[in-house]
PDB file of all heavy atoms in Angstrom:
ATOM      1  N   ARG A  21     -10.738  -7.528  23.865  1.00 97.00           N
ATOM      2  CA  ARG A  21      -9.809  -6.319  23.568  1.00 97.00           C
ATOM      3  C   ARG A  21      -9.896  -5.917  22.098  1.00 97.00           C
ATOM      4  O   ARG A  21     -10.023  -4.662  21.849  1.00 97.00           O
ATOM      5  CB  ARG A  21      -8.405  -6.791  23.921  1.00 97.00           C
ATOM      6  CG  ARG A  21      -7.335  -5.693  23.734  1.00 97.00           C
ATOM      7  CD  ARG A  21      -5.925  -6.121  23.791  1.00 97.00           C
ATOM      8  NE  ARG A  21      -5.523  -7.041  22.797  1.00 97.00           N
ATOM      9  CZ  ARG A  21      -5.280  -6.599  21.526  1.00 97.00           C
ATOM     10  NH1 ARG A  21      -5.375  -5.464  21.118  1.00 97.00           N
ATOM     11  NH2 ARG A  21      -4.934  -7.559  20.662  1.00 97.00           N
ATOM     12  N   LEU A  22      -9.986  -6.900  21.218  1.00 97.00           N
ATOM     13  CA  LEU A  22     -10.119  -6.525  19.841  1.00 97.00           C
ATOM     14  C   LEU A  22     -11.503  -5.867  19.585  1.00 97.00           C
ATOM     15  O   LEU A  22     -11.513  -4.968  18.783  1.00 97.00           O
ATOM     16  CB  LEU A  22      -9.944  -7.823  18.959  1.00 97.00           C
ATOM     17  CG  LEU A  22      -8.566  -8.414  19.010  1.00 97.00           C
ATOM     18  CD1 LEU A  22      -8.591  -9.856  18.182  1.00 97.00           C
ATOM     19  CD2 LEU A  22      -7.567  -7.436  18.227  1.00 97.00           C
ATOM     20  N   LEU A  23     -12.452  -6.368  20.190  1.00 97.00           N
ATOM     21  CA  LEU A  23     -13.822  -5.709  20.050  1.00 97.00           C
ATOM     22  C   LEU A  23     -13.826  -4.272  20.494  1.00 97.00           C
ATOM     23  O   LEU A  23     -14.310  -3.408  19.832  1.00 97.00           O
ATOM     24  CB  LEU A  23     -14.872  -6.481  20.738  1.00 97.00           C
ATOM     25  CG  LEU A  23     -16.292  -5.942  20.674  1.00 97.00           C
ATOM     26  CD1 LEU A  23     -16.791  -5.813  19.294  1.00 97.00           C
ATOM     27  CD2 LEU A  23     -17.211  -6.806  21.571  1.00 97.00           C
ATOM     28  N   ALA A  24     -13.187  -4.031  21.656  1.00 97.00           N
ATOM     29  CA  ALA A  24     -13.087  -2.573  22.145  1.00 97.00           C
ATOM     30  C   ALA A  24     -12.364  -1.762  21.199  1.00 97.00           C
ATOM     31  O   ALA A  24     -12.772  -0.556  21.032  1.00 97.00           O
ATOM     32  CB  ALA A  24     -12.518  -2.735  23.556  1.00 97.00           C
ATOM     33  N   GLU A  25     -11.175  -2.252  20.616  1.00 96.00           N
ATOM     34  CA  GLU A  25     -10.446  -1.422  19.700  1.00 96.00           C
ATOM     35  C   GLU A  25     -11.250  -1.140  18.519  1.00 96.00           C
ATOM     36  O   GLU A  25     -11.301  -0.015  17.999  1.00 96.00           O
ATOM     37  CB  GLU A  25      -9.187  -2.264  19.321  1.00 96.00           C
ATOM     38  CG  GLU A  25      -8.192  -2.234  20.272  1.00 96.00           C
ATOM     39  CD  GLU A  25      -6.944  -3.056  19.887  1.00 96.00           C
ATOM     40  OE1 GLU A  25      -6.814  -3.368  18.573  1.00 96.00           O
ATOM     41  OE2 GLU A  25      -6.057  -3.306  20.751  1.00 96.00           O
ATOM     42  N   ALA A  26     -12.110  -2.141  17.923  1.00 97.00           N
ATOM     43  CA  ALA A  26     -12.804  -1.961  16.756  1.00 97.00           C
ATOM     44  C   ALA A  26     -13.947  -0.922  17.027  1.00 97.00           C
ATOM     45  O   ALA A  26     -14.291  -0.028  16.227  1.00 97.00           O
ATOM     46  CB  ALA A  26     -13.413  -3.282  16.284  1.00 97.00           C
ATOM     47  N   GLU A  27     -14.495  -0.986  18.166  1.00 97.00           N
ATOM     48  CA  GLU A  27     -15.643  -0.058  18.547  1.00 97.00           C
ATOM     49  C   GLU A  27     -15.041   1.285  18.802  1.00 97.00           C
ATOM     50  O   GLU A  27     -15.747   2.307  18.267  1.00 97.00           O
ATOM     51  CB  GLU A  27     -16.305  -0.546  19.869  1.00 97.00           C
ATOM     52  CG  GLU A  27     -17.189  -1.711  19.731  1.00 97.00           C
ATOM     53  CD  GLU A  27     -17.735  -2.420  20.988  1.00 97.00           C
ATOM     54  OE1 GLU A  27     -17.130  -2.050  22.121  1.00 97.00           O
ATOM     55  OE2 GLU A  27     -18.727  -2.963  20.932  1.00 97.00           O
ATOM     56  N   ALA A  28     -13.817   1.407  19.230  1.00 95.00           N
ATOM     57  CA  ALA A  28     -13.207   2.808  19.336  1.00 95.00           C
ATOM     58  C   ALA A  28     -12.975   3.407  17.917  1.00 95.00           C
ATOM     59  O   ALA A  28     -13.168   4.572  17.737  1.00 95.00           O
ATOM     60  CB  ALA A  28     -12.042   2.808  20.146  1.00 95.00           C
ATOM     61  N   LYS A  29     -12.469   2.670  17.023  1.00 94.00           N
ATOM     62  CA  LYS A  29     -12.154   2.990  15.723  1.00 94.00           C
ATOM     63  C   LYS A  29     -13.480   3.471  15.007  1.00 94.00           C
ATOM     64  O   LYS A  29     -13.427   4.499  14.338  1.00 94.00           O
ATOM     65  CB  LYS A  29     -11.498   2.051  14.862  1.00 94.00           C
ATOM     66  CG  LYS A  29     -10.040   1.780  15.321  1.00 94.00           C
ATOM     67  CD  LYS A  29      -9.251   0.770  14.524  1.00 94.00           C
ATOM     68  CE  LYS A  29      -7.802   0.639  14.955  1.00 94.00           C
ATOM     69  NZ  LYS A  29      -7.099  -0.342  14.208  1.00 94.00           N
ATOM     70  N   LEU A  30     -14.455   2.664  15.172  1.00 95.00           N
ATOM     71  CA  LEU A  30     -15.853   2.973  14.531  1.00 95.00           C
ATOM     72  C   LEU A  30     -16.381   4.242  15.027  1.00 95.00           C
ATOM     73  O   LEU A  30     -16.727   5.110  14.369  1.00 95.00           O
ATOM     74  CB  LEU A  30     -16.773   1.822  14.799  1.00 95.00           C
ATOM     75  CG  LEU A  30     -18.197   2.079  14.271  1.00 95.00           C
ATOM     76  CD1 LEU A  30     -18.153   2.304  12.718  1.00 95.00           C
ATOM     77  CD2 LEU A  30     -19.119   0.925  14.510  1.00 95.00           C
ATOM     78  N   ALA A  31     -16.244   4.448  16.355  1.00 95.00           N
ATOM     79  CA  ALA A  31     -16.704   5.698  16.871  1.00 95.00           C
ATOM     80  C   ALA A  31     -15.898   6.910  16.379  1.00 95.00           C
ATOM     81  O   ALA A  31     -16.503   7.989  16.110  1.00 95.00           O
ATOM     82  CB  ALA A  31     -16.513   5.708  18.490  1.00 95.00           C
ATOM     83  N   GLY A  32     -14.638   6.699  16.247  1.00 93.00           N
ATOM     84  CA  GLY A  32     -13.917   7.770  15.592  1.00 93.00           C
ATOM     85  C   GLY A  32     -14.239   8.137  14.161  1.00 93.00           C
ATOM     86  O   GLY A  32     -14.327   9.283  13.784  1.00 93.00           O
ATOM     87  N   VAL A  33     -14.606   7.053  13.419  1.00 94.00           N
ATOM     88  CA  VAL A  33     -14.986   7.280  12.055  1.00 94.00           C
ATOM     89  C   VAL A  33     -16.400   8.064  12.052  1.00 94.00           C
ATOM     90  O   VAL A  33     -16.617   8.857  11.187  1.00 94.00           O
ATOM     91  CB  VAL A  33     -14.987   5.905  11.315  1.00 94.00           C
ATOM     92  CG1 VAL A  33     -15.852   6.079   9.965  1.00 94.00           C
ATOM     93  CG2 VAL A  33     -13.709   5.385  11.059  1.00 94.00           C
ATOM     94  N   GLU A  34     -17.211   7.629  12.938  1.00 96.00           N
ATOM     95  CA  GLU A  34     -18.563   8.166  12.988  1.00 96.00           C
ATOM     96  C   GLU A  34     -18.462   9.665  13.407  1.00 96.00           C
ATOM     97  O   GLU A  34     -19.125  10.501  12.756  1.00 96.00           O
ATOM     98  CB  GLU A  34     -19.425   7.450  13.912  1.00 96.00           C
ATOM     99  CG  GLU A  34     -19.881   6.193  13.413  1.00 96.00           C
ATOM    100  CD  GLU A  34     -20.598   5.287  14.378  1.00 96.00           C
ATOM    101  OE1 GLU A  34     -20.512   5.471  15.682  1.00 96.00           O
ATOM    102  OE2 GLU A  34     -21.339   4.263  14.053  1.00 96.00           O
ATOM    103  N   ARG A  35     -17.555  10.001  14.336  1.00 95.00           N
ATOM    104  CA  ARG A  35     -17.332  11.367  14.673  1.00 95.00           C
ATOM    105  C   ARG A  35     -16.735  12.231  13.385  1.00 95.00           C
ATOM    106  O   ARG A  35     -17.182  13.316  13.253  1.00 95.00           O
ATOM    107  CB  ARG A  35     -16.438  11.562  15.822  1.00 95.00           C
ATOM    108  CG  ARG A  35     -17.069  11.139  17.188  1.00 95.00           C
ATOM    109  CD  ARG A  35     -16.278  11.466  18.422  1.00 95.00           C
ATOM    110  NE  ARG A  35     -14.948  10.924  18.341  1.00 95.00           N
ATOM    111  CZ  ARG A  35     -14.486   9.735  18.738  1.00 95.00           C
ATOM    112  NH1 ARG A  35     -15.462   8.939  19.344  1.00 95.00           N
ATOM    113  NH2 ARG A  35     -13.285   9.435  18.710  1.00 95.00           N
ATOM    114  N   ALA A  36     -15.856  11.559  12.708  1.00 95.00           N
ATOM    115  CA  ALA A  36     -15.259  12.214  11.506  1.00 95.00           C
ATOM    116  C   ALA A  36     -16.286  12.474  10.473  1.00 95.00           C
ATOM    117  O   ALA A  36     -16.378  13.595   9.809  1.00 95.00           O
ATOM    118  CB  ALA A  36     -14.069  11.402  10.952  1.00 95.00           C
ATOM    119  N   LEU A  37     -17.199  11.556  10.225  1.00 96.00           N
ATOM    120  CA  LEU A  37     -18.354  11.752   9.260  1.00 96.00           C
ATOM    121  C   LEU A  37     -19.235  12.900   9.739  1.00 96.00           C
ATOM    122  O   LEU A  37     -19.625  13.640   8.958  1.00 96.00           O
ATOM    123  CB  LEU A  37     -19.049  10.417   9.113  1.00 96.00           C
ATOM    124  CG  LEU A  37     -18.352   9.361   8.311  1.00 96.00           C
ATOM    125  CD1 LEU A  37     -19.131   8.026   8.361  1.00 96.00           C
ATOM    126  CD2 LEU A  37     -18.097   9.826   6.935  1.00 96.00           C
ATOM    127  N   ALA A  38     -19.506  12.895  11.128  1.00 97.00           N
ATOM    128  CA  ALA A  38     -20.259  14.093  11.573  1.00 97.00           C
ATOM    129  C   ALA A  38     -19.673  15.370  11.394  1.00 97.00           C
ATOM    130  O   ALA A  38     -20.319  16.309  11.011  1.00 97.00           O
ATOM    131  CB  ALA A  38     -20.529  13.803  13.144  1.00 97.00           C
ATOM    132  N   ARG A  39     -18.316  15.432  11.592  1.00 96.00           N
ATOM    133  CA  ARG A  39     -17.650  16.674  11.339  1.00 96.00           C
ATOM    134  C   ARG A  39     -17.618  17.080   9.801  1.00 96.00           C
ATOM    135  O   ARG A  39     -17.756  18.297   9.452  1.00 96.00           O
ATOM    136  CB  ARG A  39     -16.142  16.596  11.763  1.00 96.00           C
ATOM    137  CG  ARG A  39     -16.047  16.615  13.322  1.00 96.00           C
ATOM    138  CD  ARG A  39     -14.586  16.766  13.811  1.00 96.00           C
ATOM    139  NE  ARG A  39     -13.664  15.864  13.236  1.00 96.00           N
ATOM    140  CZ  ARG A  39     -13.424  14.645  13.575  1.00 96.00           C
ATOM    141  NH1 ARG A  39     -14.082  14.123  14.496  1.00 96.00           N
ATOM    142  NH2 ARG A  39     -12.435  13.873  12.885  1.00 96.00           N
ATOM    143  N   LEU A  40     -17.552  16.185   8.960  1.00 96.00           N
ATOM    144  CA  LEU A  40     -17.557  16.293   7.597  1.00 96.00           C
ATOM    145  C   LEU A  40     -18.990  16.835   7.176  1.00 96.00           C
ATOM    146  O   LEU A  40     -19.088  17.837   6.438  1.00 96.00           O
ATOM    147  CB  LEU A  40     -17.366  14.923   6.892  1.00 96.00           C
ATOM    148  CG  LEU A  40     -17.243  15.071   5.290  1.00 96.00           C
ATOM    149  CD1 LEU A  40     -16.031  15.854   4.894  1.00 96.00           C
ATOM    150  CD2 LEU A  40     -17.154  13.607   4.695  1.00 96.00           C
TER     151      LEU A  40
END
Side-chain angles (χ1 to χ4, degrees):
R21 184 188 65 76
L22 291 171
L23 177 60
E25 285 179 14
E27 288 173 337
K29 286 181 182 182
L30 176 60
V33 168
E34 289 173 340
R35 287 190 306 272
L37 289 172
R39 288 191 310 278
L40 188 62

